[in-house]
Amino acid sequence: AMSRWDARSSAGRLLRMPLRILPPSAILPVLGGPLRGMRWVVGSAPHGAWLGILERDKLRHFVSRLQIGMTVWDIGANVGLYTLASARAVGPTGHVCAFEPMPRNLRCLRRHIALNWLDNVAICDAAVVDVTGMVRMAEGDSPSEFHAHAHGTCEVRAITLDDWTSNPGKRFPDVVKIDVEGSEDAVLRGGMQAFTASRPLIYLALHGERQRRTCYQLLTQWGYQLTSLEPSQALEISDEWLAEPGEMRR
């Protein structure tokens, strides 16, 4: 993730000492960044979230592309960092759909939406993949991170975006954020009709060389122009891409 809290710095050590005494259930205003002033549950994510420094550069770039009235899909919403930023940026005439399958994350996500009185957010409590049904999930590096795994300990509902958008009243997106811990290509394949019809701007977090290769093939086939969101990293090794719609290949 961008702008990670530097745990090795002396400033980091000094700040972490008092942070340890904060109860996880404490509710504090976010101190900086696009969520500044919004209410946040301290223990829902790393302290960098409410300090306003978690993924700061990417989040600012993302919000800079949002406009009043837009529709945003936050795929892999986790506890709501991008959901809350999007809800504020698109305003009451805009709409945000947060896709998140894990019960622990969903509890925090719903709490954050309620704490901030957001009525332009809808939640889809499912994993976004390429086959509608059920999928097993395994825990990742932190309590809020999960990924699809055949031997995972938790089974959750799974959808494809194309099946989901076939229901009445579903809005196609202007901007999409995808951060799904290694199932990026499945999200894209399962939403081929939605993505090629609506041509949204896509912020894509990648997990591994296979994902880079398969997502590159899909997105360039759909006519997307790809750039790295990490200033020092070339596209071929970057884990953060921006995909901007260009001409579809025939």
Side-chain angles (χ1 to χ4, degrees):
M2 292 184 177
S3 300
R4 284 195 178 101
W5 188 244
D6 185 357
R8 293 165 298 182
S9 72
S10 56
R13 283 196 298 273
L14 284 169
L15 254 178
R16 278 201 328 280
M17 287 167 63
L19 294 183
R20 287 198 195 103
I21 67 172
L22 285 169
S25 60
I27 298 162
L28 294 175
V30 178
L31 297 185
L35 274 70
R36 184 182 175 92
M38 298 184 88
R39 302 175 80 203
W40 189 266
V41 179
V42 166
S44 64
H47 285 301
W50 70 266
L51 290 168
I53 56 178
L54 184 67
E55 299 202 19
R56 177 172 54 196
D57 296 340
K58 180 184 171 186
L59 191 59
R60 281 181 173 155
H61 194 293
F62 176 79
V63 168
S64 76
R65 301 300 295 267
L66 302 182
Q67 297 174 23
I68 296 292
M70 278 186 168
T71 294
V72 177
W73 286 356
D74 184 359
I75 301 171
N78 202 282
V79 300
L81 190 69
Y82 284 80
T83 299
L84 267 59
S86 299
R88 172 179 273 180
V90 302
T93 58
H95 182 72
V96 180
C97 189
F99 297 84
E100 174 57 46
M102 302 309 298
R104 183 264 181 197
N105 291 348
L106 283 164
R107 286 193 296 273
C108 296
L109 178 62
R110 290 190 173 106
R111 183 96 168 102
H112 285 144
I113 291 167
L115 283 169
N116 292 285
W117 302 92
L118 299 175
D119 56 10
N120 60 349
V121 178
I123 293 174
C124 178
D125 56 346
V128 179
V129 288
D130 51 1
V131 180
T132 293
M134 302 294 288
V135 67
R136 300 197 76 83
M137 305 288 285
E139 192 168 316
D141 294 334
S142 80
S144 64
E145 292 180 4
F146 291 84
H147 57 274
H149 194 286
H151 302 294
T153 56
C154 184
E155 191 172 46
V156 298
R157 183 168 75 102
I159 60 162
T160 73
L161 292 169
D162 286 340
D163 286 347
W164 183 79
T165 52
S166 68
N167 295 307
K170 302 302 183 191
R171 296 202 223 183
F172 283 94
D174 299 293
V175 181
V176 177
K177 183 222 91 182
I178 303 171
D179 189 351
V180 290
E181 305 293 333
S183 301
E184 299 84 70
D185 59 341
V187 172
L188 294 174
R189 281 196 303 269
M192 183 174 70
Q193 293 171 359
F195 286 116
T196 55
S198 59
R199 317 286 291 148
L201 193 68
I202 302 171
Y203 283 77
L204 182 63
L206 293 142
H207 299 79
E209 183 56 39
R210 188 184 74 81
Q211 287 298 332
R212 266 194 291 269
R213 188 170 60 250
T214 54
C215 292
Y216 180 89
Q217 290 169 348
L218 282 168
L219 290 165
T220 53
Q221 183 181 333
W222 297 347
Y224 273 86
Q225 306 296 315
L226 306 174
T227 53
S228 169
L229 285 167
E230 298 176 285
S232 61
Q233 302 283 9
L235 186 73
E236 296 77 20
I237 58 172
S238 174
D239 293 326
E240 303 280 356
W241 287 1
L242 174 64
E244 301 187 78
E247 292 298 316
M248 282 278 289
R249 288 186 185 174
R250 300 295 177 191

